[in-house]
């Protein structure tokens, strides 16, 4: 499939009833992970793995494979952009609190000042409400997918800064993979290291290092690549591509999982919610 086109390999503009170029991916061989009894997912941002591989997560969970998610950052995925024309409100920092000497002698004014200080202290509490909201959304998303249990390991690395933290990712993933009781039934799922997003590529490189060291099977998903690569693109190793066909029920579950995060679709209109082209997920093996 690779190399039969010229130029940059970008997906051409859609026009009229033209056949979408990704329809050619319908002929890909199916992805089979029959021996996978434990899946370790390397997720650069919250929601990444659900967008790109929610159908695969559901299938393996239905086969009673256990699922671990190594969450690299707590920041929002930059692929999760709001719909066109929807403004995202920005949180404004609280105004500085000015206390004058005479305020401290007026009981009513002093009480008001203390109340404001208490309010500011609560708002500065380190991300407790944010963490609860994020965990609630993730739990709801996995429940919508039909994945009953997920073990999450959070690193808290900087969003848009994973390229400088690859050693941390390698170390954390090595600890999980290296202590696996059944390495032969283990499989790692991570972004493709040529995806086009700095964080995704850093996560992919780290996964490649660990899987090569421990001789564990690695499956890679594509995300940003769908915005610049078509089936004619020689930059993508299409010979290693496999597909997982999604039923209407599974596609509906992925949309429901996305809704748990506010239902904000991805930036590409022709790729609803940033998922793989058409009723399938595509992976590189």
């Amino acid at each position: 499939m690779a190399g039969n086109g010229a130029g940059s390999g970008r997906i051409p503009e859609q026009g009229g009833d033209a056949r979408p170029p990704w329809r050619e991916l319908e002929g890909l061989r199916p992805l089979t992970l029959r021996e996978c009894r434990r899946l370790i997912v390397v997720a650069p941002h919250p929601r990444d793995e659900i967008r790109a591989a929610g159908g695969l997560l559901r299938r393996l969970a239905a086969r009673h494979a256990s699922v671990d998610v190594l969450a690299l950052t707590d920041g929002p995925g930059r692929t999760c952009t709001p719909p066109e024309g929807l403004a995202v409100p920005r949180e404004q920092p609280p105004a500085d609190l000015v206390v004058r000497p005479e305020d401290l002698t007026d009981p009513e004014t002093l009480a008001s000042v203390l109340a404001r200080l208490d309010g500011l202290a609560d708002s500065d509490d380190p991300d407790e409400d944010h963490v609860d909201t994020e965990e609630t959304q993730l739990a709801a998303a996995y429940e919508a997918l039909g994945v009953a249990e997920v073990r999450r390991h959070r690193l808290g690395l900087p969003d848009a800064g994973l390229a400088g933290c690859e050693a941390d990712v390698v170390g954390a993933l090595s600890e999980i993979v290296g202590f696996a009781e059944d390495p032969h039934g283990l499989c790692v799922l991570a972004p493709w290291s040529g995806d086009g997003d700095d964080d995704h590529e850093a996560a992919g490189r780290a996964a490649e290092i660990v899987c090569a060291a421990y001789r564990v099977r690695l499956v890679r998903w594509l995300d940003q690549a769908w915005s610049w690569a078509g089936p004619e693109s020689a930059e993508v190793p299409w010979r290693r591509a496999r597909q997982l066909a999604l039923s209407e029920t599974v596609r509906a579950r992925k949309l429901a999982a996305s809704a748990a995060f506010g239902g904000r679709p991805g930036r590409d209109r022709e790729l609803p919610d940033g998922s793989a082209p058409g009723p399938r997920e595509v992976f590189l093996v």
Side-chain angles (χ1 to χ4, degrees), residues 77-99:
R78 282 160 290 131
T79 55
C80 304
T81 54
E84 214 173 294
L86 178 63
V88 179
R90 297 179 179 270
E91 292 185 6
Q92 299 295 330
D96 291 338
L97 179 62
V98 178
V99 181

Side-chain angles (χ1 to χ4, degrees), residues 66-85:
S66 61
V67 178
D68 290 72
V69 175
L70 178 60
L72 304 185
T73 77
D74 294 329
R78 282 160 290 131
T79 55
C80 304
T81 54
E84 214 173 294

Side-chain angles (χ1 to χ4, degrees), residues 40-211:
I40 299 175
V41 184
V42 182
H45 312 105
R47 190 192 186 201
D48 279 356
E49 76 279 12
I50 294 175
R51 288 161 41 82
L56 178 59
L57 293 173
R58 174 174 168 76
R59 172 169 293 190
L60 291 178
R63 294 178 180 174
H64 306 290
S66 61
V67 178
D68 290 72
V69 175
L70 178 60
L72 304 185
T73 77
D74 294 329
R78 282 160 290 131
T79 55
C80 304
T81 54
E84 214 173 294
L86 178 63
V88 179
R90 297 179 179 270
E91 292 185 6
Q92 299 295 330
D96 291 338
L97 179 62
V98 178
V99 181
R100 296 167 297 182
E102 56 267 27
D103 292 336
L104 304 180
T105 59
D106 184 337
E108 292 186 4
T109 306
L110 179 59
S112 175
V113 169
L114 293 175
R116 287 194 63 195
L117 284 172
D118 288 341
L120 290 177
D122 291 342
S123 66
D124 289 338
D125 207 6
D127 290 336
E128 286 190 6
D129 292 338
H130 168 72
V131 171
D132 290 344
T133 299
E134 178 183 305
E135 292 297 332
T136 299
Q137 289 176 339
L138 285 165
Y142 278 106
E143 182 178 356
L145 276 180
V147 181
E149 184 177 350
V150 177
R151 289 188 294 268
R152 282 176 47 78
H153 314 266
R154 300 176 63 173
L155 288 188
L157 298 175
D159 179 32
L162 292 183
C165 305
E166 284 187 41
D168 297 311
V169 180
V170 169
L173 184 57
S174 296
E175 286 191 17
I176 301 174
V177 172
F179 287 96
E181 296 179 359
D182 180 18
H184 297 293
L186 192 64
C187 182
V188 172
L189 176 66
W192 175 43
S193 60
D195 189 57
D197 175 278
D198 289 344
D199 280 355
H200 291 187
E201 293 189 357
R205 289 191 297 267
E208 289 171 357
I209 292 171
V210 174
C211 289

